[in-house]
Amino acid sequence: MVLPDTLLFAMEAALNGLLSGVMYALVALGFVLIFKASGIFNYAQGVMALFAALTLVGIQQGQVPFADLIHALTGVEMHGFGWTLPAVVAIVLTGIVMIGMAMVIETLILKHLVNQPPIILFMATIGLAYFLEGLGDTMWGSDIKAMDVGLPQGITGWIDESTNSLFGYGFYVDQLNIVAMVVAAILVTALTLFSQYSKQGRALRAVADDHQAALSVGISLRFIWVLVWSIAGFVALVAGIMWGAKSGVQFSLSLIALKALPVLMLGGFTSIPGAIVGGLIIGVGEQLFEFFVGPLVGGATENWFAYVLALLFLVFRPQGLFGEKIIERV
Amino acid sequence: MKKTLTTLTLAAGLLAGVPAMADLVMPSLSYRTGPYAANGIPFADAYADYFTLLNERDGGIGGEKIKLVECETGYNTEKGVECYESTKGTGALLYQPLSTGITYQLIPKVTADGIPMLTSGLGRTSAADGKVFKWVFNFPANYWDGASIMVKYLLSENNDSLKGKKIALLYHNSAYGKEPIRTLQDLSKKYGFKLSLIPIDAPGQEQKSQWLQVRRERPDYVLFWGWGVMNPVAIQEAANIRFPMDHFIGIWWSGSENDVKPAGAGANGYKALTFSGVGDGFPIYGDLKKYVYDAGKAAGAGDQHGTILYNRGLYAAMLTAEAAKKAQELSGHARITPAEMRDGMEALNVTEDLMAKDGMPKFGPAFQVTCANHGGSGQAQVMQWDAKAAKWNVITDWIQSDSSVIQPLIDADAAAFAKENNITPRDCK
């Protein structure tokens, strides 16, 4: 099949945009989970991804947490436990750490802020973000670490070959993005099943609808918050693994939250499918805009165009594509 | 009485934190936190360790102890300016902000305050013109030198001809990343290669569209001006699309262990420029071990020794110390002022012998600073990453930039700056 080069390149850009969108959606999911369950916009979600990734690498490589601090205070040099754990074990252990973190956050912050206005809770998460940044650095050091959990990277051979035989031009698709797509699909399915069919999931939805009413029927708000922050911590871990594999585990990983904001604006803060669809639209939109318009305006349009696209959607649908329309009667 | 005692104690405490005016005060506008901490830490550690070595081994410089005043900028320009304002009153002799953004903000300030600033391999390129930029220095090389050196290296790899070749510049979409564009445009006309410009917005974690463009355009070489997370992502993406890594060359800020290690074996063969020594095989490391590391006086975690950016910090500190020695020699006294430090910098002559005497033989290029030339010799080497051995190897001798292209650009930019700021260029005869 002979297609014009521009069309082929645009198709390749769109395909890559879709897959990049999945990566954005992975980050956005964590925001949605917490916002849906507690009405909190969790400013710390990006830092949680960084913290989870740092912890994963630290545990896997047998790094001693707080080694520099221990050295500075006591003079004792600790060079690590001397093990390299299998990735699965390290992921499970990191998951446990994230659950522990959720419990600490609930105990030290959230339970004291019940019934406070959302802005107060938002401010608390800003404080949490900065604290976690410092804690991550102090625990694991600020050097850049390689994420080595066996994720494949590089061109996907079968897509390259099949598109080459079909169009005479092989499309480039990163294997990591294919993995991210599969992981996102599993994650969304599991979250949907959990929230629709499990007791805790229904309790979670009840709390999301009305805290007071949920409390009145005996649902433990504290348990639900620990649960939802644990799940968000796990989602942050998944996002941290995927993005960490691209860039190494380093402070900038926390900035992936910037990629999630337009996705949330577009998909809505309360919808899990919205996060996915929003991610896909943003991903494709920014890639195609960069492909067609980028060269005319000097390039590097992705960052700002994602926000422009999200703003356009906001003008016509303020609650986002899948967000709930809030009607307050006075 | 109790109140008076408390006040006195507090005052004594405060004074203890302020260096005695007899010390040679060297501020360090470091960044140990924030998105660029991984790059800021080794530089700051080395800068501190070198001065600790001089204090411990030699009793300072010319008998005067060196006092390092470190201020955390987080690589944030506003914080950098705050650090400058808060430290300039301590008797600061020289500023070295490892940030082009902070440098641009400090140029008018150091000029007004009469404190010299050294921005090796960064900042405003035309600061090499000492007639206009009396207080700013950027030796031994600047970004335009870097662009020219890359092209000269490519010429040497292609039988002195780049005619018909396609070269892409992949760059940080900022003042820093845009610096080499004009030089490369002039060089593309001179040598007949086709230049393609591909910007990446900071921070640069997502570069899919840029690398798809590289894949479509199939340039023969990609030159790279990145910083921070942009670097490892670019190297990983290049490996992903199977771009030949030995045709991918970074500027000196895109060539540290932090940039290549995350990509693992995929980074093998990646090249970058350097103007400071590579590895820890220099005699100075013996002294550092004896007087600093083993004495428990190393800055930071002590885990950066021998890395590219640690060595760059050592080099920056060595140049500072040599300029201070020259200033003491010229002024005839040890307690130099910032103005005398500037004179020392302008008379600096970094020879092979001098570097060898400092335990850093061939650590940087030999160069001489003059009243008119604050930019040094404009030389750098090309190094290549060996992923298996996890180390950089220098693969060329010092390459001299093409001054016939660069000097007119420096003259024009400096003249424009002088006109905008009502500066009458000095007479350097």
Side-chain angles (χ1 to χ4, degrees):
Chain A
M1 196 187 302
V2 181
L3 294 175
D5 280 356
T6 309
L7 181 60
L8 284 175
F9 295 153
M11 284 163 64
E12 185 187 32
L15 182 60
N16 275 278
L18 279 173
L19 294 169
S20 296
V22 174
M23 295 283 280
Y24 305 159
L26 276 177
V27 187
L29 272 178
F31 283 96
V32 168
L33 284 168
I34 290 180
F35 192 83
K36 201 171 156 60
S38 56
I40 301 173
F41 178 78
N42 181 22
Y43 184 86
Q45 190 65 32
V47 186
M48 279 168 63
L50 167 67
F51 184 80
L54 280 171
T55 305
L56 172 63
V57 175
I59 289 175
Q60 192 183 12
Q61 301 300 325
Q63 210 183 325
V64 178
F66 301 109
D68 293 342
L69 188 65
I70 293 167
H71 179 232
L73 294 177
T74 65
V76 178
E77 281 198 47
M78 305 177 87
H79 296 293
F81 295 117
W83 71 56
T84 303
L85 294 178
V88 178
V89 177
I91 290 171
V92 170
L93 291 174
T94 307
I96 293 169
V97 171
M98 296 310 284
I99 293 170
M101 194 180 82
M103 293 167 85
V104 172
I105 289 172
E106 194 280 330
T107 308
L108 296 181
I109 304 173
L110 298 178
K111 87 169 183 187
H112 303 288
L113 298 176
V114 175
N115 286 333
Q116 293 294 323
I119 187 69
I120 300 294
L121 290 158
F122 173 63
M123 300 295 273
T125 65
I126 293 179
L128 177 65
Y130 283 100
F131 174 75
L132 278 181
E133 265 177 30
L135 182 69
D137 263 8
T138 314
M139 270 181 89
W140 305 112
S142 49
D143 51 321
I144 298 173
K145 298 161 183 71
M147 171 66 71
D148 185 16
V149 292
L151 290 175
Q153 289 203 63
I155 193 162
T156 312
W158 64 270
I159 294 180
D160 181 34
E161 286 158 20
S162 54
T163 48
N164 199 25
S165 63
L166 200 60
F167 307 121
Y169 173 74
F171 286 6
Y172 168 75
V173 173
D174 190 350
Q175 294 178 63
L176 181 71
N177 285 7
I178 302 281
V179 174
M181 186 178 69
V182 174
V183 168
I186 295 170
L187 208 56
V188 169
T189 309
L191 287 172
T192 309
L193 291 175
F194 172 77
S195 70
Q196 296 294 333
Y197 299 109
S198 74
K199 188 181 166 190
Q200 286 80 10
R202 282 196 293 273
L204 197 147
R205 282 161 56 212
V207 171
D209 280 346
D210 192 326
H211 287 184
Q212 301 283 358
L215 278 171
S216 70
V217 294
I219 294 171
S220 164
L221 193 58
R222 292 187 60 184
F223 172 73
I224 291 298
W225 276 5
V226 169
L227 181 69
V228 78
W229 277 77
S230 299
I231 298 171
F234 181 72
V235 172
L237 171 61
V238 173
I241 291 172
M242 295 298 166
W243 284 90
K246 280 166 74 81
S247 62
V249 179
Q250 54 176 307
F251 180 94
S252 297
L253 208 54
S254 63
L255 304 178
I256 56 174
L258 295 174
K259 282 289 183 189
L261 286 182
V263 173
L264 292 166
M265 287 158 72
L266 204 149
F269 281 75
T270 52
S271 166
I272 290 171
I276 299 292
V277 176
L280 297 180
I281 294 174
I282 292 285
V284 175
E286 67 179 24
Q287 285 290 335
L288 288 180
F289 188 82
E290 173 64 22
F291 179 74
F292 287 112
V293 185
L296 308 175
V297 294
T301 59
E302 298 100 319
N303 279 2
W304 61 263
F305 180 72
Y307 283 88
V308 170
L309 193 61
L311 277 171
L312 279 174
F313 269 83
L314 272 188
V315 169
F316 297 103
R317 201 171 158 79
Q319 69 274 34
L321 274 180
F322 294 83
E324 292 160 9
K325 195 165 189 174
I326 299 160
I327 301 168
E328 288 188 17
R329 293 188 173 81
V330 233
Chain B
M1 183 63 185
K2 193 179 172 186
K3 197 175 172 183
T4 313
L5 275 174
T6 309
T7 310
L8 283 171
T9 311
L10 277 173
L14 283 171
L15 283 171
V18 176
M21 292 309 278
D23 289 334
L24 301 176
V25 179
M26 303 298 177
S28 171
L29 305 191
S30 60
Y31 38 97
R32 295 178 179 277
T33 61
Y36 302 99
N39 290 342
I41 288 170
F43 188 93
D45 282 357
Y47 204 62
D49 285 349
Y50 190 85
F51 291 137
T52 305
L53 171 67
L54 296 190
N55 281 340
E56 297 299 314
R57 186 188 63 190
D58 309 335
I61 302 172
E64 291 295 322
K65 289 272 187 184
I66 306 151
K67 175 82 179 177
L68 188 83
V69 180
E70 194 163 331
C71 184
E72 172 66 33
T73 70
Y75 198 72
N76 176 297
T77 300
E78 289 76 27
K79 279 190 193 167
V81 173
E82 280 173 29
C83 278
Y84 170 79
E85 294 294 346
S86 66
T87 54
K88 71 178 185 185
T90 58
L93 290 177
L94 174 71
Y95 282 88
Q96 291 208 50
L98 192 64
S99 153
T100 293
I102 297 173
T103 297
Y104 269 78
Q105 292 303 312
L106 293 191
I107 287 174
K109 290 182 180 291
V110 296
T111 305
D113 295 332
I115 304 173
M117 176 163 68
L118 174 58
T119 61
S120 298
L122 58 95
R124 187 174 186 126
T125 299
S126 58
D129 188 337
K131 296 192 292 292
V132 174
F133 295 91
K134 184 180 174 185
W135 295 92
V136 187
F137 299 78
N138 57 6
F139 50 75
N142 57 55
Y143 293 133
W144 298 350
D145 290 324
S148 167
I149 289 164
M150 284 178 177
V151 170
K152 278 186 91 170
Y153 171 68
L154 296 183
L155 280 164
S156 72
E157 291 278 287
N158 290 276
N159 299 319
D160 285 333
S161 172
L162 290 173
K163 202 164 180 58
K165 296 277 182 197
K166 285 196 276 186
I167 296 178
L169 172 68
L170 189 70
Y171 64 96
H172 194 285
N173 196 21
S174 65
Y176 151 65
K178 289 174 184 171
E179 279 276 338
I181 292 177
R182 206 170 144 198
T183 312
L184 287 172
Q185 284 169 336
D186 283 10
L187 289 166
S188 74
K189 283 179 205 147
K190 184 172 177 178
Y191 295 110
F193 62 83
K194 185 172 179 283
L195 179 68
S196 143
L197 303 175
I198 308 177
I200 310 170
D201 263 344
Q205 281 161 314
E206 181 58 48
Q207 301 178 18
K208 200 63 79 191
S209 59
Q210 285 80 10
W211 285 97
L212 285 176
Q213 190 179 341
V214 169
R215 195 164 175 269
R216 287 193 298 268
E217 294 180 358
R218 299 185 183 281
D220 297 290
Y221 295 95
V222 173
L223 309 182
F224 182 42
W225 250 255
W227 183 233
V229 69
M230 191 176 286
N231 293 348
V233 173
I235 292 166
Q236 180 66 61
E237 292 285 4
N240 286 352
I241 69 160
R242 296 175 189 160
F243 188 81
M245 294 306 283
D246 57 346
H247 285 219
F248 186 20
I249 308 173
I251 188 66
W252 37 71
W253 302 121
S254 306
S256 76
E257 291 79 0
N258 292 334
D259 304 326
V260 284
K261 281 188 173 173
N268 191 51
Y270 172 71
K271 293 173 180 171
L273 300 188
T274 184
F275 57 79
S276 52
V278 175
D280 58 2
F282 297 92
I284 191 169
Y285 272 101
D287 282 357
L288 282 166
K289 186 172 186 311
K290 182 177 172 187
Y291 293 98
V292 183
Y293 309 154
D294 289 351
K297 290 178 178 170
D303 56 356
Q304 301 291 330
H305 310 154
T307 63
I308 293 291
L309 291 171
Y310 185 88
N311 279 6
R312 199 151 299 152
L314 283 183
Y315 185 59
M318 182 273 279
L319 295 177
T320 303
E322 288 303 329
K325 280 182 204 166
K326 181 60 79 176
Q328 289 172 335
E329 187 187 314
L330 292 175
S331 65
H333 52 253
R335 295 179 185 183
I336 51 174
T337 63
E340 288 162 347
M341 179 73 182
R342 196 208 69 82
D343 294 343
M345 295 180 76
E346 209 161 70
L348 191 61
N349 185 11
V350 180
T351 61
E352 298 286 0
D353 285 348
L354 182 82
M355 286 185 282
K357 195 166 66 66
D358 284 335
M360 302 163 84
K362 299 187 189 303
F363 203 89
F367 66 92
Q368 187 162 8
V369 189
T370 65
C371 165
N373 176 13
H374 281 193
S377 59
Q379 291 176 311
Q381 294 171 313
V382 180
M383 57 181 183
Q384 187 167 31
W385 178 246
D386 179 345
K388 200 170 177 187
K391 68 180 195 119
W392 289 98
N393 295 312
V394 175
I395 57 169
T396 68
D397 203 347
W398 295 104
I399 300 174
Q400 176 65 55
S401 63
D402 186 347
S403 61
S404 68
V405 172
I406 292 166
Q407 198 55 49
L409 295 176
I410 289 176
D411 292 344
D413 196 63
F417 181 85
K419 195 176 172 190
E420 280 166 27
N421 295 278
N422 293 322
I423 296 170
T424 307
R426 290 189 292 161
D427 187 359
C428 278
K429 282 172 190 168

